[in-house]
Amino acid sequence: HGAVVASGQHTTITGERGRTMTFIPAKDLEWTDFEWGALGWVTRPANVPEATAFCCLDVRLDPGEGHDFHTHPSQQEIIFVRTGTVEQWVGTESMELTAGDTCFVPANMVHASFVAAGGPPAQMFVVMSPSHGADGYEAVDVASEEPWRSLRS
């Protein structure tokens, strides 16, 4: 029981004790394209102001591409593979993840995700905590630094 407010993309309900919840239909996600695939912004302070404890992303990695070695200085990350196969790196260790597999990445740990050429894209659901800034997300690229530059060579 409470007030329902539709904001175009999201429906927010204020319930008992002033708590709010937001419904975010998949068809209404805002997508950002990258050379390696795309990010669908599920929750972040820019679209769900109450989402300060975590940021949720729908991630698509295209065949032959990957989110190269990077770190999130103040954020932990959980990566859940929904479809496809991902070559997942955490530090200097890698493992092939398939649909249903999960990976936890501690804050400030270098990691990367790649999809083999010739196969289907991979879809992942990613949760980062805590949320960082309006986008909820901060990444520092280290792919040009050693040992990351030559790790997959």
Side-chain angles (χ1 to χ4, degrees):
H1 309 312
V4 177
V5 178
S7 65
Q9 290 186 352
H10 313 304
T11 301
T12 301
I13 300 171
T14 303
E16 296 177 16
R17 297 183 223 144
R19 292 184 173 160
T20 60
M21 58 188 220
T22 303
F23 294 101
I24 304 158
K27 67 179 180 59
D28 293 335
L29 289 184
E30 174 189 344
W31 286 88
T32 301
D33 291 323
F34 295 91
E35 62 279 355
W36 46 261
L39 291 180
W41 301 97
V42 179
T43 62
R44 61 180 174 158
N47 69 338
V48 180
E50 296 82 9
T52 57
F54 51 83
C55 170
C56 296
L57 304 165
D58 190 352
V59 178
R60 186 192 75 238
L61 291 176
D62 291 333
E65 301 294 337
H67 191 180
D68 214 340
F69 291 96
H70 63 283
T71 183
H72 308 286
S74 62
Q75 293 178 291
Q76 299 177 346
E77 181 173 9
I78 296 172
I79 300 167
F80 174 77
V81 179
R82 293 174 38 213
T83 64
T85 300
V86 175
E87 175 190 328
Q88 183 63 53
W89 288 82
V90 178
T92 59
E93 300 295 321
S94 71
M95 178 176 273
E96 184 176 279
L97 303 180
T98 59
D101 291 339
T102 303
C103 175
F104 170 76
V105 182
N108 206 35
M109 174 69 77
V110 175
H111 59 287
S113 307
F114 300 97
V115 173
Q123 285 288 141
M124 303 180 299
F125 188 76
V126 174
V127 178
M128 303 178 72
S129 180
S131 193
H132 181 83
D135 280 340
Y137 169 84
E138 175 191 30
V140 176
D141 187 325
V142 298
S144 63
E145 302 173 16
E146 288 297 344
W148 320 112
R149 177 177 50 213
S150 57
L151 197 57
R152 296 182 72 226
S153 301

